[in-house]
Amino acid sequence: MTPGEQALYLHAEPGLPLAVSAEQPRPDHTRPLPAGATVVFFTDGLIEHPAHTIDEGLAALAELATLHASLPLQDFVDTLADHHPSDGHDDMAVLALRTPDA
């Protein structure tokens, strides 16, 4: 997310899941980030709900993140964890970083 804009997802080839094979190379990705940008990493437990598609969960999380993007980072993460679109039956992890303001 960048200040004043909608949240968007960064799509890239993820490679094999962790712990599947230590011998296989993992892809690297880079993305320039502007000042004040927030990047959120999360597990599927934050968005999965048996009554909704993954795309619906992703859209709901993006809407929630956009709505609360101006919060201090810890409050932002707490809000995502407390108001997630999943059914809450899977473990979830949320990691966020914010680039410094210019």
Side-chain angles (χ1 to χ4, degrees):
M1 299 181 326
T2 55
E5 294 187 25
Q6 293 269 334
L8 63 93
Y9 288 96
L10 302 176
H11 298 280
E13 173 57 43
L16 291 174
L18 294 175
V20 169
S21 173
E23 289 80 34
Q24 294 293 322
R26 300 207 47 86
D28 288 331
H29 305 285
T30 59
R31 172 82 178 226
L33 299 172
T38 303
V39 179
V40 181
F41 301 92
F42 58 91
T43 59
D44 60 350
L46 195 68
I47 59 160
E48 286 187 338
H49 193 294
H52 305 286
T53 67
I54 293 293
D55 288 339
E56 289 171 321
L58 289 168
L61 183 64
E63 184 178 329
L64 179 67
T66 298
L67 184 63
H68 298 284
S70 64
L71 290 173
L73 195 58
Q74 184 62 55
D75 294 338
F76 173 75
V77 170
D78 290 344
T79 298
L80 295 184
D82 292 343
H83 302 286
H84 57 84
S86 79
D87 66 353
H89 285 95
D90 194 0
D91 61 319
M92 62 181 79
V94 182
L95 173 67
L97 64 91
R98 185 168 287 154
T99 59
D101 290 327

